[in-house]
């Protein structure tokens, strides 16, 4: 037997050793099919994003030639981005969205961590009734109109906190984090008790450092939720200068209303030798909403499998 054949046999043995006994080796056709499916899914996700970005960089002529969303570029311009970054409504909505996301995520993560830690201590007083009460709220709520009346009665109408506090806590996220905290090494906690550590020190010095994965994932969930919020803003913020970016997109992109201060008609406007299309400006605003999530996600993505599976399965 040649050295090449020995190497192939050793590689096959190594692969089979890592494979469960009940699982058959993959066939070339199966591997090719899996690859084709993955490529197809990637294209389904990436092509719409590509078209949105390309349309935001296209002139009115390119959009007319494409009949709408642009797939093949026929002229690139950044005038749409210059227009939105000189528009007070877009700038104020961007600042509002960033502020709501930052403050809301901080409050939600803090409340979720404290609640999950308290519920994960099985000897804590009343943790079972409180847990059952939280679970009930996952299936029953007061409804839209009573919630609006409560928020408005507490002075939340036309205030930013109406977008944060009513949705500050997710029971699902609390249960996931509780399951993760409950599996923290009991030996570490008992050793900390022996050394005289209190609950706050155990939480901040032992539980949280060993639970970075689940905290990062839950924090991302909250951040994406706050960043994408528009319905609560539609209910509680009548002043468009306080609107978050998503509500600006809903009003001036999905509904097709002209954006104040743009000076763009339905047929576009000329800037020098180029014509800026309303669709380009709309897609530029949409692209603007994608950037923060695309920046944050790579730093949190490595925690997803560990944070969600350990918190859900072992809990």
């Amino acid at each position: 037997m040649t050295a090449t054949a020995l190497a192939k046999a050793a590689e096959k043995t190594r692969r089979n050793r890592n494979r469960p006994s009940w699982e058959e080796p993959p066939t070339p056709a199966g591997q090719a099919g899996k690859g084709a499916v993955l490529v197809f899914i990637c294209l389904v996700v990436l092509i719409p994003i590509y078209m949105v970005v390309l349309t935001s960089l296209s002139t009115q002529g390119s959009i007319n030639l494409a009949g709408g969303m642009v797939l093949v570029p026929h002229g690139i311009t950044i005038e749409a981005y210059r227009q939105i970054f000189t528009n007070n409504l877009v700038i104020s909505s961007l600042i509002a969205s960033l502020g709501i996301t930052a403050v809301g995520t901080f409050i939600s993560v803090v409340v979720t961590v404290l609640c999950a830690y308290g519920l994960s201590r099985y000897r804590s007083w009343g943790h079972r009734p409180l847990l059952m009460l939280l679970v009930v709220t996952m299936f029953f709520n007061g409804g839209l109109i009573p919630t609006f009346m409560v928020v408005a009665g507490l002075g939340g109408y036309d205030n930013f906190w109406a977008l944060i506090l009513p949705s500050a806590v997710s029971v699902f996220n609390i249960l996931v984090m509780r399951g993760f905290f409950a599996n923290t090494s009991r030996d570490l906690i008992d050793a900390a008790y022996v050394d005289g550590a209190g609950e706050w020190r155990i939480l901040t010095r032992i539980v949280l450092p060993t639970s970075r994965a689940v905290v990062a994932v839950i924090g991302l969930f909250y951040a994406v939720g706050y960043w994408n919020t528009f319905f609560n803003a539609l209910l509680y913020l009548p002043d468009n200068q306080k609107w978050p970016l998503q509500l600006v997109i809903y009003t001036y992109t999905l509904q097709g209303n002209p954006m104040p201060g743009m000076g763009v008609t339905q047929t576009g406007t000329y800037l020098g030798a180029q014509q800026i299309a309303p669709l380009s400006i709309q897609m530029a605003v949409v692209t603007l909403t994608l950037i923060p999530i695309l920046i944050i996600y790579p730093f949190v993505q490595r925690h997803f499998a560990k944070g969600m599976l350990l918190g859900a399965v072992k809990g």
Side-chain angles (χ1 to χ4, degrees):
M1 184 177 291
T2 63
T4 303
L6 288 173
K8 290 182 178 180
E11 178 67 17
K12 184 177 180 180
T13 302
R14 184 186 65 80
R15 292 179 179 177
N16 291 335
R17 187 182 301 117
N18 296 330
R19 190 183 309 280
S21 59
W22 48 264
E23 184 177 345
E24 297 181 357
T27 62
Q31 289 181 317
K34 293 177 183 178
V37 170
L38 290 176
V39 170
F40 174 75
I41 293 174
C42 290
L43 292 177
V44 169
V45 173
L46 294 177
I47 288 178
I49 298 177
Y50 164 78
M51 293 179 67
V52 167
V53 175
L54 186 58
T55 303
S56 70
L57 297 170
S58 298
T59 62
Q60 180 70 62
S62 299
I63 293 174
N64 292 340
L65 185 62
M69 301 294 291
V70 179
L71 184 60
V72 180
H74 296 283
I76 300 296
T77 176
I78 61 171
E79 291 299 332
Y81 290 93
R82 292 180 180 175
Q83 287 253 339
I84 65 173
F85 281 114
T86 56
N87 185 274
N88 291 331
L89 178 61
V90 176
I91 297 300
S92 64
S93 65
L94 178 60
I95 294 174
S97 289
L98 291 174
I100 291 169
T101 301
V103 175
T105 301
F106 175 78
I107 293 175
S108 295
V109 170
V110 170
V111 173
T112 301
V113 166
L114 295 178
C115 184
Y117 178 72
L119 294 175
S120 67
R121 302 300 97 194
Y122 296 111
R123 290 179 294 181
S124 60
W125 180 84
H127 79 278
R128 287 189 180 276
L130 289 175
L131 182 60
M132 292 299 103
L133 183 63
L134 288 175
V135 171
V136 168
T137 64
M138 296 179 65
F139 305 100
F140 304 98
N141 59 69
L144 179 60
I145 295 177
T147 301
F148 177 84
M149 294 175 64
V150 170
V151 173
L154 293 175
Y157 191 73
D158 201 22
N159 280 298
F160 285 118
W161 72 259
L163 308 185
I164 298 175
L165 295 186
S167 56
V169 176
S170 168
V171 177
F172 173 80
N173 292 339
I174 290 177
L175 295 179
V176 171
M177 193 172 289
R178 171 187 174 273
F180 202 101
F181 288 171
N183 286 278
T184 303
S185 175
R186 189 66 207 176
D187 294 336
L188 288 176
I189 296 177
D190 290 340
Y193 280 131
V194 171
D195 291 339
E199 297 292 346
W200 283 105
R201 184 173 293 274
I202 291 173
L203 174 62
T204 56
R205 297 297 179 89
I206 296 177
V207 176
L208 285 181
T210 59
S211 305
R212 291 192 184 98
V214 71
V215 173
V217 173
I218 297 302
L220 180 63
F221 284 172
Y222 280 125
V224 171
Y226 284 115
W227 179 256
N228 290 332
T229 185
F230 85 94
F231 185 69
N232 284 348
L234 190 64
L235 291 177
Y236 302 118
L237 296 181
D239 185 2
N240 64 358
Q241 293 299 319
K242 295 182 179 180
W243 285 358
L245 196 57
Q246 303 297 337
L247 186 54
V248 171
I249 293 177
Y250 171 77
T251 303
Y252 300 113
T253 300
L254 295 181
Q255 294 187 342
N257 298 326
M259 192 173 296
M262 285 299 186
V264 179
T265 64
Q266 293 298 323
T267 57
T269 184
Y270 280 97
L271 293 177
Q274 296 176 330
Q275 190 181 22
I276 305 304
L279 185 60
S280 294
I281 294 177
Q282 293 169 358
M283 293 302 104
V285 178
V286 173
T287 303
L288 189 62
T289 65
L290 298 175
I291 294 176
I293 301 301
L294 293 178
I295 293 175
I296 295 174
Y297 182 81
F299 297 99
V300 185
Q301 187 272 338
R302 64 191 180 92
H303 296 298
F304 261 88
K306 182 179 179 182
M308 293 305 297
L309 292 181
L310 287 182
V313 175
K314 290 190 176 181

